[in-house]
Amino acid sequence: MSLTQDIKYKLARLNVFEKIIAANVAIYFSGLLLKPLQDSFSGYSSLSWLELPSGFFNFLVKPWSIVTYAFAHYDFWHILFNMLWLYAIGRMFLNLFSPKQGLNVYFLGAIVGGLLFLFGYNVFPSLFVGDNRLVGASAAVRALLIFLCAYMPNMELRFFTFNLKLWYLGVAIVILDIIGLFGLNAGGNLAHLGGALLGYFYARQLLKGHDIGKGFERMMDGVVNVFKIEKKSPLKTVHKRKSKVAGYTKEEFKSFNHQKKIDLILDKISKSGYDSLTSEEKEFLFKAGK
């Protein structure tokens, strides 16, 4: 197995939040590598094209930043705690809800947090210091956390020697963010509250049977489909009595030699992801890996 295939295989096995963590870490290290260029361009940081500016007209110049700011981190402790929270909360979320719902909450939380940040700086400029720019995944992570706290508030978590209900944790986080509005990171805490507000509203509506993220989900599917390259395949005769495994029958799969089977499975993973494998293919790949 080549290095490229090995990386593709491992990435395919990650859940959606682990992939977001991987993207954040990759961008963080890219920022470190680009940091020497900061001295050459005064006023610009290494990830400035990802940052969300506080000025409304500056935002209009780079509207993508309403999402990309959530992938930019400069401080090691900032990204460490954000990604640890995302890993723990993400695993809990995916045990109960679909990956698409998770992405809806995450990205809508980032967007609402960014919009509240813009609103605060442009409507109440005297309350904020300087021309700050917003970075970090905190608002998106807050959205996931508060969503869980609002959806199942009485669920208990083990905290050292006693149990802690989720809604206690949610209230404590929100109170800390409100207190933070009077500190040096007022804009960041305002964005946190925006994410928390989205998470709470999303959960309460879902309990009533309304998934407010469906429209956003359809929009994102439409964007993905625009860039999706469809491969045209020639017409094939389908024999209903033969079950297919990745475009070939089980009988044909069994007849292939060991290396041919591995190549076919890896090719399928690179095109459709690990989850597209059948149980027979997964079992074969597991044994081959040993």
Side-chain angles (χ1 to χ4, degrees):
M1 186 184 296
S2 68
L3 178 61
T4 303
Q5 289 175 324
D6 185 48
I7 293 173
K8 286 182 178 180
Y9 172 70
K10 289 179 178 178
L11 286 175
R13 298 187 66 183
L14 299 178
N15 66 47
V16 291
F17 293 122
E18 289 169 343
K19 288 176 182 177
I20 289 175
I21 291 172
N24 273 276
V25 171
I27 292 171
Y28 170 74
F29 282 107
S30 297
L32 291 181
L33 293 174
L34 294 171
K35 200 171 182 180
L37 297 177
Q38 285 182 240
D39 298 332
S40 303
F41 300 94
S42 179
Y44 290 90
S45 52
S46 57
L47 298 176
S48 60
W49 56 285
L50 295 178
E51 300 169 346
L52 177 63
S54 58
F56 180 72
F57 291 105
N58 291 332
F59 163 66
L60 291 180
V61 175
K62 48 184 225 178
W64 61 84
S65 61
I66 196 68
V67 172
T68 58
Y69 82 87
F71 289 87
H73 297 82
Y74 293 109
D75 181 73
F76 172 76
W77 296 109
H78 189 197
I79 188 173
L80 177 64
F81 286 113
N82 270 345
M83 295 305 103
L84 287 175
W85 272 104
L86 180 56
Y87 179 77
I89 297 168
R91 288 175 66 90
M92 188 185 303
F93 192 102
L94 293 177
N95 283 333
L96 301 165
F97 305 97
S98 70
K100 282 197 172 183
Q101 281 181 315
L103 291 176
N104 290 344
V105 176
Y106 186 85
F107 284 110
L108 285 174
I111 291 170
V112 173
L115 290 175
L116 194 58
F117 169 82
L118 284 169
F119 177 82
Y121 266 90
N122 289 277
V123 178
F124 305 106
S126 61
L127 298 179
F128 302 92
V129 180
D131 183 26
N132 288 343
R133 291 158 291 182
L134 184 63
V135 295
S138 301
V141 175
R142 285 289 194 286
L144 288 171
L145 173 61
I146 300 303
F147 174 94
L148 292 175
C149 294
Y151 192 87
M152 43 186 185
N154 294 316
M155 179 180 175
E156 295 185 342
L157 295 176
R158 190 69 178 172
F159 187 74
F160 293 105
T161 58
F162 58 91
N163 292 333
L164 181 69
K165 288 186 178 181
L166 267 181
W167 76 268
Y168 295 166
L169 177 61
V171 169
I173 292 292
V174 170
I175 289 174
L176 288 175
D177 285 331
I178 292 173
I179 294 173
L181 292 175
F182 304 96
L184 296 176
N185 188 30
N189 282 280
L190 188 61
H192 298 173
L193 290 171
L197 183 64
L198 181 280
Y200 178 83
F201 183 69
Y202 199 127
R204 300 311 297 178
Q205 288 300 305
L206 194 61
L207 286 168
K208 296 176 182 178
H210 307 299
D211 188 344
I212 64 172
K214 280 297 181 183
F216 176 77
E217 184 179 316
R218 285 192 293 270
M219 183 187 73
M220 293 307 298
D221 287 342
V223 172
V224 171
N225 289 332
V226 168
F227 297 97
K228 198 172 184 180
I229 301 175
E230 293 187 4
K231 295 182 179 179
K232 295 183 178 180
S233 56
L235 293 175
K236 294 182 180 179
T237 303
V238 178
H239 300 281
K240 292 183 178 179
R241 293 190 178 182
K242 290 185 178 181
S243 57
K244 289 281 184 177
V245 178
Y248 41 83
T249 65
K250 288 185 178 180
E251 290 74 16
E252 290 172 335
F253 183 73
K254 291 177 181 177
S255 67
F256 293 140
N257 62 44
H258 187 82
Q259 187 57 48
K260 177 66 174 177
K261 290 180 181 179
I262 292 177
D263 292 340
L264 287 168
I265 293 173
L266 291 176
D267 183 59
K268 185 176 180 182
I269 291 174
S270 67
K271 292 177 180 177
S272 307
Y274 180 78
D275 291 337
S276 66
L277 300 183
T278 65
S279 56
E280 184 178 354
E281 290 171 323
K282 290 178 181 177
E283 182 181 0
F284 177 82
L285 194 61
F286 177 76
K287 291 179 180 179
K290 289 184 176 182

